[in-house]
Amino acid sequence: MKKRIVSLLLLAFIFSMSSFGMHKFYMAIYQINYAPEKKMLQITARIFADDFDKALEKKHGKKFFFGTNKETAESLELLKKYLAESFSLKVNGQSKTMNFLSKEMDGDVLVCYLSIKDISKIKEIEIYNSILTDYFASQQNIVNVTAFNVKRSFLFTETSTKEVLKY
């Protein structure tokens, strides 16, 4: 009887551990730095490339191969378009256009570099970030903002896509 109970508990433990291993964790990290001497916001987005590929495949019905030799110019344009639709900043109440500078791969992470120029004074920054939350309900986007020697961090999720910082 004891062997049967121990066997059942061991089987239940193995089953529960295997179900945890099958659950994927969706996260991306964004860094926004204000460089007053350059009058610029510098933005770095770090997103898992396979998640981005899957999301854009769902949206456009075709495969994307970021960071591989199969990546196309069209895929880069769709990446830029998606970023512009799903990640935006308002400074002092005015929408600002982000300039896509470049991208690179860091292992399996797609790193995108963006900037917003002509920011001479900041009183308020409104951040909107819904990247991948429309495709993965458990997606979490951490945004770190550094301005005036102060660092603030925010968590964006499917239900929380906007934050406002006041200086």
Side-chain angles (χ1 to χ4, degrees), residues 8-9 28 34 49 72 81 87 89 101 121 137 154 163:
L8 286 174
L9 288 175
Y34 177 53
T72 65
K81 183 178 177 187
F87 183 66
L89 297 176
L101 303 174
K121 189 182 269 190
F154 301 95
E163 287 288 342

Side-chain angles (χ1 to χ4, degrees), residues 40-84:
M40 174 188 297
L41 286 171
Q42 302 166 325
I43 303 144
T44 305
R46 301 179 62 80
I47 307 163
F48 284 105
D50 62 335
D51 296 341
F52 219 108
D53 285 343
K54 288 175 191 169
L56 288 181
E57 181 181 349
K58 286 179 184 178
K59 182 175 178 126
H60 297 286
K62 57 183 173 181
K63 290 196 178 281
F64 292 82
F65 301 96
F66 293 111
T68 71
N69 59 358
K70 294 181 181 181
E71 182 180 328
T72 65
E74 178 192 15
S75 65
L76 180 59
E77 289 306 311
L78 291 172
L79 164 76
K80 291 178 187 179
K81 183 178 177 187
Y82 182 77
L83 285 173

Side-chain angles (χ1 to χ4, degrees), residues 123-150:
K123 293 181 184 177
E124 177 182 282
I125 300 174
E126 182 179 309
I127 305 166
Y128 172 77
N129 187 334
S130 66
I131 292 181
L132 301 182
T133 60
D134 41 356
Y135 298 100
F136 307 110
S138 61
Q139 175 72 29
Q140 297 181 353
N141 296 319
I142 297 173
V143 177
N144 300 307
V145 181
T146 304
F148 310 110
N149 296 318
V150 176

Side-chain angles (χ1 to χ4, degrees), residues 101-162:
L101 303 174
S102 66
K103 67 162 187 58
E104 66 180 349
M105 292 298 295
D106 182 10
D108 57 354
V109 175
L110 178 65
V111 183
C112 299
Y113 301 98
L114 306 111
S115 69
I116 299 174
K117 296 181 180 179
D118 301 322
I119 307 293
S120 57
K121 189 182 269 190
I122 296 178
K123 293 181 184 177
E124 177 182 282
I125 300 174
E126 182 179 309
I127 305 166
Y128 172 77
N129 187 334
S130 66
I131 292 181
L132 301 182
T133 60
D134 41 356
Y135 298 100
F136 307 110
S138 61
Q139 175 72 29
Q140 297 181 353
N141 296 319
I142 297 173
V143 177
N144 300 307
V145 181
T146 304
F148 310 110
N149 296 318
V150 176
K151 182 178 179 180
R152 306 257 323 260
S153 297
F154 301 95
L155 178 65
F156 293 81
T157 63
E158 182 181 35
T159 59
S160 175
T161 59
K162 187 165 72 168

